[in-house]
Amino acid sequence: EVQLVESGGGLVQPGGSLRLSCAASGFTVSTYWMTWVRQAPGEGLEWVANIKEDGTEQYYVGSVRGRFTISRDNARNSVYLDMNNMRVEDTAVYYCARYQYGTSATFDLWGRGTLVTVSS
Amino acid sequence: HSALTQPASVSGSPGQSITISCTGTSTDVGGYNYVSWYQQYPGKAPKLIIYDVSNRPFGVSTRFSGSKSGNTAFLTISGVQAEDEADYYCNSYTKASTLEAFGTGTKVTVL
């Protein structure tokens, strides 16, 4: 079955760090851009970061640039999001998604998400 | 970053057609044919229902269709059904540093 499964969410204090993981199955991540999208409680979707197939390019939304790092391990068919100096406003469900980029710009496969809560 | 503008809510009776708008600018919706639409039920992950303005992924109902005019994209649900009651988000590639812009989201209610 083609799927993405996120893990690593939880409760963290402001200023703390957390690493999210996204494990892919049923397809090879090395042939796709991958992305993280988040959704704060009761709010809409917000794109967070993209990473190119080979990991040589990464892009971030301004509010996380310098604090979050997206990476990938194609050998493990996985993608990661390292979050540092976290803020209350980073509280959200974080979704990993496959990103069809080049001839399109589409998030065509989504995981179920993992909840991150930043609170003291 | 600037989100694309969608109506907060749209409603219709079963069997009616409803249309959701998604308004951006010439640097996103108007500049690229890379508009996609996502359906999200409460507590669930988003699901792709339209990509590249008007294309439907395999398995998505033909009741869903997409179009674009200038800086505004549209999602039409023809013959809306109770199962279509959900939140809908548009997305567009953008020339801005964010690269991707989501819409503000529209709650569809079937009366």
Side-chain angles (χ1 to χ4, degrees):
Chain A
E1 181 185 4
V2 176
Q3 64 177 354
L4 296 166
V5 178
E6 302 93 338
S7 60
L11 175 64
V12 61
Q13 292 187 336
S17 300
L18 208 59
R19 173 177 247 212
L20 304 183
S21 299
C22 171
S25 58
F27 72 100
T28 304
V29 294
S30 63
T31 58
Y32 295 92
W33 283 69
M34 297 296 292
T35 193
W36 287 94
V37 174
R38 67 184 179 183
Q39 186 170 35
E43 301 295 324
L45 301 172
E46 180 184 37
W47 170 78
V48 175
N50 281 349
I51 186 167
K52 192 178 179 180
E53 296 98 326
D54 60 5
T56 57
E57 295 180 30
Q58 305 91 31
Y59 300 91
Y60 301 91
V61 67
S63 59
V64 309
R65 194 174 294 124
R67 301 188 299 122
F68 289 12
T69 301
I70 187 172
S71 62
R72 62 195 301 156
D73 185 340
N74 288 340
R76 294 181 182 273
N77 225 29
S78 295
V79 181
Y80 308 97
L81 186 68
D82 288 294
M83 303 182 291
N84 297 309
N85 191 21
M86 296 184 71
R87 304 168 181 169
V88 171
E89 54 265 35
D90 294 323
T91 295
V93 174
Y94 284 73
Y95 295 102
C96 173
R98 190 171 69 182
Y99 183 44
Q100 295 280 5
Y101 183 61
T103 56
S104 181
T106 302
F107 309 107
D108 70 337
L109 178 68
W110 296 68
R112 293 185 176 183
T114 186
L115 176 62
V116 173
T117 303
V118 185
S119 175
S120 54
Chain B
H1 69 288
S2 297
L4 307 177
T5 302
Q6 298 180 231
S9 62
V10 171
S11 61
S13 298
Q16 285 187 328
S17 289
I18 62 172
T19 297
I20 303 169
S21 60
C22 169
T23 301
T25 68
S26 59
T27 61
D28 40 60
V29 175
Y32 306 92
N33 287 324
Y34 292 154
V35 176
S36 51
W37 290 89
Y38 303 86
Q39 177 191 60
Q40 186 181 36
Y41 293 109
K44 300 298 185 181
K47 173 191 173 184
L48 174 68
I49 57 173
I50 294 288
Y51 67 97
D52 296 350
V53 176
S54 59
N55 295 301
R56 262 188 320 275
F58 178 78
V60 172
S61 172
T62 56
R63 295 183 292 102
F64 295 98
S65 62
S67 62
K68 190 182 85 166
S69 177
N71 295 335
T72 300
F74 303 93
L75 173 71
T76 297
I77 309 176
S78 304
V80 70
Q81 301 179 0
E83 66 202 53
D84 301 329
E85 196 163 277
D87 294 325
Y88 293 82
Y89 293 91
C90 63
N91 173 268
S92 174
Y93 182 80
T94 171
K95 191 182 295 185
S97 60
T98 55
L99 293 191
E100 292 291 339
F102 278 100
T104 50
T106 298
K107 181 177 181 59
V108 168
T109 301
V110 181
L111 303 172

